[in-house]
Amino acid sequence: MKLTILGCYAATPRTFSNPTSQILEIKNQMFLIDCAEGTQVQLRKSKVKFSKINHIFISHLHGDHFYGLVGLVSTFMLLNRESDLHIYGPKGIKEIILLQLRASGSYTGYNLYFHELESKASETIFDDDKVIVKTIPLTHRIYTNGFLFQEKNIERKLNIEAVENYNIDKVYFNKIKFGGDVKLDDGTIIPNSELSFEPQVAKSYAYCSDTMYDESIISIIENVDFLYHESTFLESEAHLSERTMHSTAKQAATIALKANVKNLILGHYSTRYGNIELFKHEAETIFPNVHLADDGREFEMD
């Protein structure tokens, strides 16, 4: 699992920083999470192949989280995209994007599917044989969701030495990976435990964009490997976090501590601060494993 931060600053773009967007690579799939202005340029800088993006998750309809979406949809068209594109976001996102496309005379040559969200309870919105994605209901000025990404590690690892010793044909490898025993030509049954090892521990990533401090999310994100939690303000501006329904670095760290997560990534910094290290120092007074998101930074979650 690999996370690439494309942008992680709040509100207005600057020449040296970008608002929120990130790429999560998990089980050979690439998910785009939020899509602010400048996302396409950041994707180019990070050398991400546009064609690999088939699923886009939008947390809420504030501009610094989705104003780059219609441009990306249009660029896919210019690149002669043919594969389906799925967009998950709050109710109303379909109307907005289609209105922009119609007004500009732009029409996609690929299938564009919108999965509009309006539930205030956590729900599964994506599920295949390798990954499951659930919403994390957040508390902000408008309807907002975070997203929980979880690997499905159901494939066992082949014990190559044992397989070769028994001279087992490759046609049985998939059966072994999924827990099956193998019957030899002489009728001997070789149990799966001799032919494979336990699968790797499944990894998980929770993305919590704009939200005020809310302990109701703890049961959803409990024990995740990495938690990205917004930290727009420092405690010295806690009064602003209450008014704008954002979080401070200490509040993000408190959520991480109570949820027993392994690592905390801070982001969505207000541009009023000249040094983001201040966020790390403040959070570390509550929670030890704190990382700072920054434009272009990558996190390997192995």
Side-chain angles (χ1 to χ4, degrees):
M1 189 184 295
K2 176 183 175 183
L3 178 69
T4 301
I5 305 296
L6 303 174
C8 62
Y9 289 80
T12 55
R14 299 179 295 181
T15 57
F16 54 90
S17 68
N18 294 273
T20 304
S21 185
Q22 49 187 249
I23 283 282
L24 182 67
E25 298 176 57
I26 176 173
K27 291 290 189 178
N28 297 316
Q29 297 190 72
M30 189 170 285
F31 297 137
L32 178 64
I33 309 171
D34 277 339
C35 188
E37 294 176 75
T39 293
Q40 294 189 71
V41 175
Q42 290 300 99
L43 287 169
R44 293 295 195 197
K45 287 182 178 179
S46 296
K47 298 181 180 180
V48 174
K49 291 185 178 180
F50 284 25
S51 60
K52 289 188 175 181
I53 300 173
N54 296 317
H55 300 273
I56 301 175
F57 298 85
I58 302 297
S59 61
H60 63 297
L61 297 181
H62 278 162
D64 59 328
H65 290 261
F66 93 108
Y67 275 178
L69 181 58
V70 70
L72 183 58
V73 169
S74 297
T75 296
F76 283 150
M77 175 189 64
L78 296 175
L79 295 175
N80 298 314
R81 180 189 180 98
E82 295 181 355
S83 57
D84 298 345
L85 180 65
H86 294 262
I87 298 174
Y88 308 78
K91 187 175 177 59
I93 193 169
K94 178 179 180 180
E95 180 182 3
I96 293 170
I97 297 302
L98 293 185
L99 174 63
Q100 291 175 306
L101 291 175
R102 284 196 297 268
S104 63
S106 303
Y107 298 93
T108 64
Y110 56 91
N111 292 321
L112 185 57
Y113 295 100
F114 291 91
H115 306 265
E116 295 195 306
L117 310 174
E118 51 186 333
S119 173
K120 294 183 179 181
S122 179
E123 60 180 340
T124 298
I125 57 175
F126 177 87
D127 191 357
D128 66 9
D129 60 342
K130 295 183 178 180
V131 181
I132 183 169
V133 183
K134 299 178 181 178
T135 58
I136 307 170
L138 300 175
T139 305
H140 193 41
R141 299 193 303 275
I142 61 173
Y143 178 75
T144 306
N145 284 300
F147 303 103
L148 173 62
F149 299 83
Q150 297 171 299
E151 291 181 339
K152 291 182 179 179
N153 278 352
I154 58 175
E155 288 189 27
R156 298 177 65 84
K157 185 177 180 181
L158 282 178
N159 183 338
I160 299 299
E161 184 178 352
V163 167
E164 290 178 349
N165 285 341
Y166 285 111
N167 198 27
I168 294 175
D169 194 281
K170 291 182 179 181
V171 297
Y172 293 104
F173 284 7
N174 271 342
K175 181 180 180 181
I176 296 170
K177 287 180 180 180
F178 287 92
D181 301 331
V182 175
K183 187 176 182 179
L184 302 181
D185 293 340
D186 63 3
T188 303
I189 295 177
I190 310 301
N192 185 269
S193 59
E194 290 189 29
L195 301 173
S196 67
F197 303 110
E198 291 291 330
Q200 292 181 336
V201 177
K203 298 294 183 181
S204 55
Y205 171 63
Y207 169 81
C208 294
S209 66
D210 297 18
T211 182
M212 65 186 301
Y213 181 81
D214 185 357
E215 293 187 359
S216 68
I217 69 173
I218 290 174
S219 61
I220 304 173
I221 66 173
E222 198 167 17
N223 300 318
V224 297
D225 293 286
F226 280 81
L227 165 65
Y228 175 97
H229 195 291
E230 74 119 288
S231 54
T232 307
F233 298 105
L234 297 174
E235 280 298 304
S236 55
E237 282 73 43
H239 62 288
L240 295 178
S241 69
E242 294 177 6
R243 191 178 75 196
T244 60
M245 301 184 77
H246 282 292
S247 297
T248 67
K250 275 191 175 181
Q251 289 173 336
T254 301
I255 291 292
L257 181 68
K258 293 189 174 184
N260 193 38
V261 309
K262 294 181 178 65
N263 296 275
L264 170 64
I265 302 174
L266 299 177
H268 202 267
Y269 320 109
S270 170
T271 54
R272 71 180 58 236
Y273 304 105
N275 185 358
I276 62 174
E277 287 292 331
L278 297 171
F279 292 88
K280 188 174 190 289
H281 295 157
E282 189 166 279
E284 284 179 333
T285 64
I286 304 293
F287 184 80
N289 300 322
V290 179
H291 309 273
L292 292 175
D294 206 355
D295 294 6
R297 185 167 183 187
E298 298 178 351
F299 295 90
E300 293 286 350
M301 303 180 181
D302 295 329

